Amino acid sequence: MTRQPRVVIIGAGMSGICMAITLLRNGFDDLTIYEKAERGGGTWRDNTYPGLSCDVPSRFYQFTFAPNPGWSHFFSPGPEIDAYFARVASEYGLPARTRFGTEVTAAEFQDGRWSLTTANGDSDSADFVITATGLLHHPRLPHITGMETFAGASFHSARWDHSVPLSGKRIGVIGTGSTGVQIVSALAGDAAHVDMFQRTPHWVLPIPNFRYSRAGSALYRGLPVLNKVSYRLLRGVFEWFAVALIEPGQRRDFIETLCRISLLRIRDGELRAALTPDFDPMCKRLIISSGFFTAVNRDDVRIVTAAIDHIEPRGVVTVDGDLHELDVLVYATGFDAHAFMRPMKLTGRDGMTIDRAWAETPRGFQTVTIPGFPNLFTLIGPHSPVGNYALTAIAESQADHILGWIQRWSTREFDSVEPKQQATDDFNAAIREAMPGTVWASGCDSWYLGPDGTPELWPWTPDRHRNMMRHPDTADYTLRSGDRG
């Protein structure tokens, strides 16, 4: 006799949507999604800054079960991606299953089930809890003296204030990652002046972002097989280049050559030198932008390489004593990539807390489970493949893996499942052993690094992760029966 599990998904962003639909398509409909915001969408809801687009091609950055033939661009803009996820969620009836504006603050494993508490004092229980809280979710602000004294408008890029006029204004952007590059590219020519405060230059690959034609979109609608062909082709290209991330060789050299040739688009030799990193391409996340080099060639865009000393009411003062007068200051300074589901209080078996389990750094087993936390799964969890790859594809692989365990639970093979500590230790040891050959360990400071300076990423190919998700080894897990009746 089969049984129907009660499932709670925390987060209504891309991965939460993927997980919920995967369950519904396989007959598991007793599920609730908790979302602390007033609507879903995750990072595509939170980030609304000018110039926002995905750095993965649209025909790859989508669900295989919900292809979109009508993408407008090769790299589609953020609002279009946000609308895509909202439409897919609506088509599967997810809004009716979601408690918006409800933050889960605590979850504890008791007597074979999870008990959850929300910020407004409500409670819930579930057989399985799946965290889909995102990777780049908690904005990180720098610690700069005088930030609070700035007289103009200032905000983090993920908390964009659209009431602030930008046209004809003097705008400062702190941060040179993908977000900063996209913002500067979008504002150049509209703002009176843009100052980009650079601590470290990044490698930029200017791949053209061409627009799809109406005829092309109609062809994709009329021949759905083209969606599958495009997806597989783009995935193949990304996985071919993924080898450059994990081992030296011709592919890594080829990408470096492309990046260095691209720098020749910068006319001024001094500026070109300032924008040339001293580390290997892809050591930090490679930036894809067709407009950045055009923007920095403009007279009204300036790259400020002197370090910031402090901020005063009129603007930013650098260590060379220069005052950069500004009307608007944007912090494109990234996110806390190691928070995951925290600050939620998570308590597993025998009182084990997530803060204690992750006292040194976030560690899990095969990117989806954590020892000591039965029937808990993490989407885009620690060591998931996130370097210039479609997270939609990773979420689908992980969702299918989680579905497999829930199906086995429903046929009463076990009451609770969690990875063994030894298997987890061996998995993490293998990751550390494989890391020295990767480009992320070649010598740069990035959000990929853990507290001890070791990259905390997937050090193998994406297809190895996909195969691992498809074929879990039961010997790596503790399966218990009798946790509940």
Side-chain angles (χ1 to χ4, degrees):
M1 180 183 296
T2 60
R3 52 183 171 175
Q4 182 75 209
R6 165 77 178 146
V7 181
V8 162
I9 299 170
I10 302 174
M14 178 277 295
S15 60
I17 292 170
C18 180
M19 186 73 248
I21 293 173
T22 299
L23 290 171
L24 290 173
R25 294 177 74 214
N26 287 274
F28 298 108
D29 58 6
D30 187 3
L31 64 90
T32 298
I33 306 171
Y34 283 89
E35 171 55 57
K36 66 180 181 180
E38 295 302 323
R39 70 175 186 89
T43 189
W44 301 106
R45 174 201 61 227
D46 291 345
N47 288 274
T48 59
Y49 58 81
L52 171 64
S53 66
C54 187
D55 59 3
V56 175
S58 304
R59 298 204 187 282
F60 184 31
Y61 190 82
Q62 60 179 345
F63 297 133
T64 57
F65 54 78
N68 175 25
W71 292 113
S72 66
H73 289 78
F74 188 67
F75 301 106
S76 290
E80 189 174 338
I81 299 170
D82 184 34
Y84 165 75
F85 287 124
R87 183 174 70 253
V88 172
S90 179
E91 288 173 354
Y92 282 89
L94 300 192
R97 299 177 181 274
T98 304
R99 293 190 59 182
F100 294 107
T102 307
E103 180 180 7
V104 175
T105 55
E108 183 174 3
F109 189 73
Q110 300 175 324
D111 301 323
R113 301 196 88 208
W114 283 96
S115 298
L116 300 95
T117 304
T118 68
N120 59 15
D122 291 342
S123 60
D124 199 351
S125 63
D127 298 299
F128 291 91
V129 169
I130 302 167
T131 64
T133 48
L135 179 67
L136 304 180
H137 173 57
H138 300 282
R140 183 179 60 196
L141 287 169
H143 300 288
I144 303 174
T145 301
M147 289 171 59
E148 71 285 352
T149 68
F150 181 60
S154 64
F155 40 80
H156 190 277
S157 57
R159 302 291 184 266
W160 198 274
D161 186 348
H162 290 275
S163 70
V164 176
L166 303 175
S167 183
K169 301 297 183 181
R170 300 167 299 177
I171 301 173
V173 178
I174 298 177
T176 53
S178 180
T179 297
V181 164
Q182 290 183 348
I183 292 171
V184 170
S185 301
L187 297 183
D190 183 39
H193 192 90
V194 179
D195 281 344
M196 186 182 206
F197 296 91
Q198 172 181 281
R199 183 175 62 179
T200 306
H202 286 242
W203 290 103
V204 178
L205 196 58
I207 299 177
N209 186 19
F210 57 83
R211 177 182 286 274
Y212 288 116
S213 67
R214 291 184 179 179
S217 296
L219 188 62
Y220 271 83
R221 289 188 179 92
L223 295 172
V225 69
L226 291 178
N227 292 292
K228 293 182 180 180
V229 171
S230 294
Y231 184 94
R232 289 184 177 274
L233 178 63
L234 288 167
R235 187 179 72 180
V237 170
F238 269 73
E239 297 194 359
W240 190 89
F241 279 107
V243 175
L245 296 168
I246 61 174
E247 62 184 38
Q250 292 182 345
R251 300 181 201 190
R252 188 180 296 182
D253 294 341
F254 175 66
I255 293 174
E256 179 171 357
T257 300
L258 288 179
C259 290
R260 292 191 179 278
I261 291 175
S262 297
L263 280 169
L264 297 177
R265 296 188 180 194
I266 302 175
R267 296 188 298 267
D268 183 86
E270 187 175 337
L271 175 60
R272 188 187 314 125
L275 287 171
T276 303
D278 60 0
F279 51 84
D280 293 342
M282 300 178 297
C283 185
K284 294 175 182 280
R285 186 178 176 95
L286 187 63
I287 296 174
I288 308 298
S289 173
S290 60
F292 182 63
F293 291 150
T294 300
V296 298
N297 276 323
R298 296 178 59 92
D299 293 335
D300 53 8
V301 175
R302 177 171 52 178
I303 303 299
V304 181
T305 58
I308 296 174
D309 183 76
H310 66 277
I311 296 173
E312 64 146 75
R314 292 174 295 170
V316 173
V317 179
T318 47
V319 292
D320 55 10
D322 284 353
L323 167 64
H324 304 267
E325 295 190 68
L326 302 169
D327 302 305
V328 181
L329 184 56
V330 178
Y331 296 100
T333 47
F335 303 84
D336 179 358
H338 306 284
F340 294 98
M341 78 290 290
R342 295 177 291 181
M344 184 177 72
K345 290 184 177 181
L346 197 61
T347 306
R349 190 183 299 280
D350 301 325
M352 172 60 73
T353 65
I354 195 64
D355 286 337
R356 184 147 55 94
W358 287 356
E360 295 182 2
T361 189
R363 297 174 72 243
F365 182 63
Q366 296 188 345
T367 74
V368 288
T369 52
I370 308 168
F373 295 83
N375 293 5
L376 175 88
F377 295 95
T378 60
L379 289 164
I380 317 297
H383 297 107
S384 293
V386 298
N388 288 100
Y389 196 77
L391 293 189
T392 47
I394 302 305
E396 282 197 55
S397 294
Q398 292 175 334
D400 287 341
H401 173 92
I402 296 167
L403 169 68
W405 286 113
I406 292 177
Q407 287 173 326
R408 294 175 66 174
W409 180 94
S410 70
T411 58
R412 301 182 182 270
E413 288 188 36
F414 59 85
D415 288 328
S416 69
V417 57
E418 62 184 282
K420 294 177 179 177
Q421 186 64 56
Q422 187 60 55
T424 303
D425 292 342
D426 291 346
F427 172 72
N428 282 270
I431 284 178
R432 294 181 72 88
E433 184 178 350
M435 202 58 71
T438 69
V439 71
W440 307 301
S442 61
C444 69
D445 184 20
S446 73
W447 61 265
Y448 294 150
L449 304 182
D452 65 352
T454 301
E456 296 188 337
L457 288 169
W458 179 257
W460 301 294
T461 58
D463 68 304
R464 177 166 170 171
H465 181 267
R466 188 164 57 248
N467 291 332
M468 181 184 71
M469 290 290 94
R470 287 174 177 167
H471 307 290
D473 187 348
T474 305
D476 292 329
Y477 296 84
T478 298
L479 306 180
R480 289 185 174 91
S481 297
D483 277 355
R484 54 167 296 183

